[in-house]
Amino acid sequence: MGNDGYLYVYSPWNGAWIGIPAQLEYIDPQLVLTPAQVPPDVLDYDCGQLRNTHPDDALQHGNVGTIQDFANANNGLTRSDIIGQRGYQRMGPMISLPYGPSIRYIRDPQNPDVIIDLRHMLVVAYQGPFAGNSIEIIQGMGSEQSAYDHQDYFSNSLGYRFYELYISQIRAQPSSFTSLVVQFLTQPQSQSGASHRTRNNDPNLINQRCP
């Protein structure tokens, strides 16, 4: 633990150190360093959680956007421009976690009943599965209502796959970020069964679970 009251853990996903808040000082550090419970399988998703509208959101007030809304608002902007539109959450002396884009909640264009949290997809998932799962544990320890929310896991899983497929293009052409997000979220599944998405964000399986 650092002198600033944060426990720092290394994320091999992007080669970064991540600060975990000091309120965990009475928790066994081994628990903190253990990734959160295994994310739920797509066929175990809570359909109500996938459809969270977050009426307390200060910007959207429960009004969920579309992928076109996101594209119109952010065309040509870089990832850095977009993820900090809501400001930053201080995580340590030199570490801040962006709150995400102004249009944070959008409907999945391939399954409009399901809502994507773009903070989880574009910010949290960039840190990799270790961080994504551990954040849910931290929220649970703090008795936050959003802890272990299946919408978070779903949105994280989209982000892991998005960065896996597009990180090289994002780095080569930063201003293409929005168009790549749109491309990823709208590209249909292959007829051959090859998945552009992964199992836990496959729209066909989610439709099967939550018709």
Side-chain angles (χ1 to χ4, degrees):
M1 180 176 292
N3 293 331
D4 57 352
Y6 283 77
L7 173 70
Y8 290 91
V9 295
Y10 183 75
S11 170
W13 180 268
N14 67 344
W17 287 87
I18 301 167
I20 296 176
Q23 65 260 33
L24 301 178
E25 60 182 320
Y26 296 116
I27 304 297
D28 183 346
Q30 281 300 116
L31 181 59
V32 177
L33 293 171
T34 301
Q37 58 184 213
V38 175
D41 183 76
V42 61
L43 297 182
D44 295 322
Y45 277 150
D46 181 304
C47 300
Q49 291 181 11
L50 291 181
R51 295 164 178 161
N52 285 343
T53 57
H54 304 278
D56 60 340
D57 181 77
L59 293 181
Q60 292 186 244
H61 303 289
N63 297 314
V64 182
T66 66
I67 189 64
Q68 192 60 54
D69 294 332
F70 176 80
N72 291 343
N74 297 292
N75 185 43
L77 299 182
T78 66
R79 177 179 181 273
S80 296
D81 293 332
I82 294 168
I83 63 174
Q85 289 171 348
R86 288 175 178 248
Y88 291 80
Q89 177 183 10
R90 185 174 175 80
M91 301 293 289
M94 299 182 66
I95 300 175
S96 295
L97 187 67
Y99 279 114
S102 297
I103 300 176
R104 173 175 167 177
Y105 301 100
I106 65 169
R107 296 193 181 279
D108 185 342
Q110 297 192 53
N111 188 344
D113 284 340
V114 174
I115 296 171
I116 301 169
D117 182 338
L118 289 175
R119 186 195 194 200
H120 276 269
M121 179 181 165
L122 303 181
V123 179
V124 175
Y126 185 75
Q127 307 301 327
F130 177 89
N133 291 338
S134 296
I135 283 173
E136 298 301 320
I137 274 190
I138 294 167
Q139 290 179 336
M141 290 174 177
S143 300
E144 294 187 30
Q145 290 184 350
S146 64
Y148 309 119
D149 191 299
H150 290 186
Q151 186 183 77
D152 293 354
Y153 286 119
F154 163 71
S155 302
N156 284 347
S157 71
L158 281 170
Y160 304 146
R161 182 61 170 161
F162 169 66
Y163 287 116
E164 178 185 358
L165 293 174
Y166 292 107
I167 190 61
S168 61
Q169 293 180 60
I170 293 168
R171 289 171 176 164
Q173 296 182 301
S175 63
S176 70
F177 185 77
T178 296
S179 63
L180 293 174
V181 172
V182 173
Q183 178 179 323
F184 171 73
L185 289 176
T186 59
Q187 182 170 325
Q189 302 295 86
S190 167
Q191 294 298 317
S192 68
S195 179
H196 187 65
R197 299 193 183 190
T198 56
R199 175 179 173 83
N200 274 15
N201 50 73
D202 184 325
N204 298 320
L205 291 176
I206 293 175
N207 274 322
Q208 178 182 331
R209 169 62 177 165
C210 303

